[in-house]
Amino acid sequence: MFLMCLKAFLVGGAICVIGQLLIDITKMTPARILVTFVCAGVVLGGLGVYDELVDFAGAGATIPLTGFGNALAKGVKEAVREQGFMGVLTGALTAMAGGVTVAVLCGLITALVTKPKDK
C-alpha cells in the first residue's frame, strides 16, 4: 500500500513539476499548458505508452490532465473497434461523459452557492 502511494505521488509530482517548468521557463499560459497536457495524454495513450504508466503509478497517472487525454484516446480506440469510423466521432464523448457531467454540475452548484465578487 505504501509503495503504491509513493509511486502515485512521485509520478503525479513529476507531471506537476513539468507543468511548473513550462510556466517558469517557457512563459506558457495555463490554458496552453492544459491543452499541451491533454494532447500529450492523447498521443501517449494512442501509442499505448500511457497505459504502462497507469499500471505503474495508478492514480498518479490517471488524475492529472494527461490522464484525461489518455481516457479520451482509449475511448476512441474502443469505439473504433466496435463501431468503425463513427467511433472516431463518438468514442471520446462516450468515454468521458460521466467526468464532464460531474465537472459541469460541480461548477453549477458552486455558482449557485457562492457569491461572486468584483475584482
Side-chain angles (χ1 to χ4, degrees):
M1 175 75 167
F2 174 75
L3 188 59
M4 184 173 52
C5 291
L6 181 64
K7 289 177 186 179
F9 176 77
L10 291 175
V11 171
I15 293 171
C16 292
V17 166
I18 292 169
Q20 187 64 48
L21 288 173
L22 288 173
I23 290 172
D24 293 343
I25 294 173
T26 66
K27 305 299 182 201
M28 288 177 70
T29 63
R32 288 189 178 174
I33 294 171
L34 179 143
V35 170
T36 301
F37 276 179
V38 172
C39 290
V42 168
V43 170
L44 293 174
L47 296 173
V49 176
Y50 205 82
D51 290 334
E52 294 178 21
L53 186 62
V54 170
D55 291 342
F56 175 77
T62 57
I63 299 299
L65 288 169
T66 50
F68 180 76
N70 178 50
L72 289 173
K74 190 180 292 187
V76 169
K77 283 169 47 175
E78 290 175 10
V80 166
R81 204 172 309 121
E82 294 172 4
Q83 303 169 0
F85 180 74
M86 284 303 291
V88 173
L89 303 173
T90 63
L93 296 174
T94 305
M96 297 309 298
V100 171
T101 302
V102 169
V104 169
L105 289 177
C106 288
L108 175 65
I109 291 169
T110 301
L112 293 174
V113 173
T114 60
K115 199 173 194 179
K117 297 177 185 175
D118 292 333
K119 288 187 176 187

